Amino acid sequence: SLGVVRVLVTGGSGYIGAHVVRLLAERGDQPVIVDDFVSGVRDRVADWPQLACDLADDTATDAVFEFLVEHRVEAIIHFAARKRVDESVERPDWYRAQNVGGLTHLLAAAERARVSRLVFSSTAAVYASAARPVREDDETRPANPYGETKLEGERRVAEFAERTGARAVSLRYFNVAGAASPDLADVGAYNLVPMVFDRLDAGQPPLIFGDDYDTPDGTCVRDYIHVADLAEAHLVVLDALFGEAPTSPVYNVGTGRGASVREMVDAMLRVSGSSLEAEVRDRRPGDPAIVVADPSRIRDELGWTARGGVDDIVGSAWAARQA
């Protein structure tokens, strides 16, 4: 136990951010929030000091620096980013300005305030599609501009650590879903689980984008991780950054098990009792066929393993919606 740690969570009102804020608070740490509140839910973090700020704005560095100093922040968990693959394909320059620009301003503020612990939200989208589970040292070849902005972010984070002596880790998330409690449900209209449930609520068939991929059932295969497991991984990594033992610069956070989009959709149809059948549409640009984690590095080095499976994920997401 480190005593109370004061942690800045950027994007803390978002789906994953809010889960992490709650875990930090439950164990007695002090989260503070920087968020533009565009896609998050402000009520989720109403109890904590917050700065409404678009990190991509040129004024952000000064504003965040003052906030860090005011709250004596010791560590940062950086979630705030744009994350829609299709949108990044349409607006690549804007995505760079938002994701890389926002991170650059944050790091400048952190350096000035001498904050020396950082956890960065990266993504499995940095990898090329691969027939076997991907490891952290596999080739990175993003299939879309969103993935490129995150890979560039990892580089900036590593440079920041090298230059300042800070300790920093990038976490490559796989496909996050589920909810730890009803008020933290995923409301992102572009994530698979809420997207399917939204359509079922409207009496419309769920959509599958592409069933002609080179996979067992023709639909994309992904590694779906329960958001509660992912949130816990952040605390494990944060604690490691304050510990004595060295950490790797990058960890995959996934289950190591692939599930196809059709399997996920079938599980959602089952849990909701729907008799609708999925409708197949054309592929979306920028979607690789298979991306599944090899999570052995974080297990071996930090002792973290995901617990929830597809049924836990889908069941918790459905329960959150019903509530």
Side-chain angles (χ1 to χ4, degrees):
S1 167
L2 311 165
V4 177
V5 180
R6 292 177 291 274
V7 185
L8 169 64
V9 183
T10 72
S13 76
Y15 168 50
I16 303 170
H19 276 88
V20 170
V21 167
R22 182 156 300 176
L23 283 188
L24 288 167
E26 280 172 356
R27 73 175 195 176
D29 288 333
Q30 287 179 353
V32 298
I33 316 300
V34 168
D35 204 313
D36 65 4
F37 301 107
V38 168
S39 57
V41 180
R42 198 164 192 161
D43 287 354
R44 289 171 174 166
V45 291
D47 295 346
W48 306 107
Q50 44 189 255
L51 171 67
C53 172
D54 174 359
L55 286 172
D57 192 276
D58 287 341
T59 62
T61 298
D62 289 343
V64 173
F65 165 69
E66 285 164 16
F67 192 72
L68 290 170
V69 171
E70 180 190 351
H71 295 285
R72 306 201 309 285
V73 166
E74 300 160 275
I76 296 171
I77 304 178
H78 179 48
F79 294 104
R82 309 290 167 213
K83 57 173 281 293
R84 275 179 54 193
V85 167
D86 58 337
E87 187 179 45
S88 80
V89 172
E90 288 160 21
R91 306 180 67 189
D93 292 337
W94 185 71
Y95 259 65
R96 275 188 283 276
Q98 288 288 310
N99 290 358
V100 182
L103 171 64
T104 304
H105 294 149
L106 176 68
L107 293 176
E111 185 167 356
R112 266 167 64 190
R114 297 202 169 92
V115 179
S116 61
R117 306 286 188 280
L118 175 73
V119 182
F120 173 62
S121 291
S122 189
T123 172
V126 301
Y127 293 113
S129 180
R132 58 166 182 76
V134 287
R135 299 163 50 137
E136 290 86 351
D137 47 12
D138 283 347
E139 182 190 10
T140 47
R141 196 174 69 231
N144 51 65
Y146 163 66
E148 287 168 7
T149 66
K150 288 296 191 174
L151 188 57
E152 177 59 26
E154 289 185 11
R155 291 191 193 107
R156 302 275 174 117
V157 166
E159 286 164 6
F160 166 77
E162 184 75 18
R163 189 176 68 248
T164 65
R167 297 189 67 185
V169 164
S170 295
L171 296 182
R172 292 176 179 165
Y173 306 168
F174 286 69
N175 289 55
V176 189
S181 72
D183 59 318
L184 300 181
D186 183 3
V187 293
Y190 298 94
N191 292 343
L192 177 68
V193 173
M195 215 155 74
V196 170
F197 284 150
D198 284 347
R199 289 188 64 87
L200 295 180
D201 282 351
Q204 299 170 317
L207 301 178
I208 290 175
F209 296 99
D211 67 351
D212 58 347
Y213 288 92
D214 185 12
T215 61
D217 67 14
T219 67
C220 288
V221 171
R222 295 290 183 267
D223 187 331
Y224 292 91
I225 177 172
H226 199 303
V227 66
D229 284 332
L230 177 65
E232 189 186 68
H234 284 77
L235 272 62
V236 168
V237 169
L238 185 68
D239 292 348
L241 292 179
F242 282 96
E244 297 297 313
T247 51
S248 292
V250 178
Y251 292 106
N252 285 338
V253 192
T255 67
R257 296 182 297 275
S260 75
V261 169
R262 192 174 287 283
E263 285 171 61
M264 288 294 286
V265 168
D266 287 348
M268 287 181 267
L269 290 168
R270 268 200 313 277
V271 76
S272 62
S274 172
S275 58
L276 290 165
E277 286 190 13
E279 185 181 306
V280 178
R281 297 270 177 94
D282 288 341
R283 295 181 178 196
R284 294 181 302 191
D287 276 346
I290 305 177
V291 186
V292 176
D294 176 343
S296 52
R297 179 186 282 182
I298 191 169
R299 180 195 69 213
D300 296 347
E301 294 186 8
L302 303 182
W304 176 87
T305 311
R307 293 192 294 260
V310 167
D311 290 338
D312 302 310
I313 289 168
V314 171
S316 71
W318 178 247
R321 276 187 93 89
Q322 296 316 101

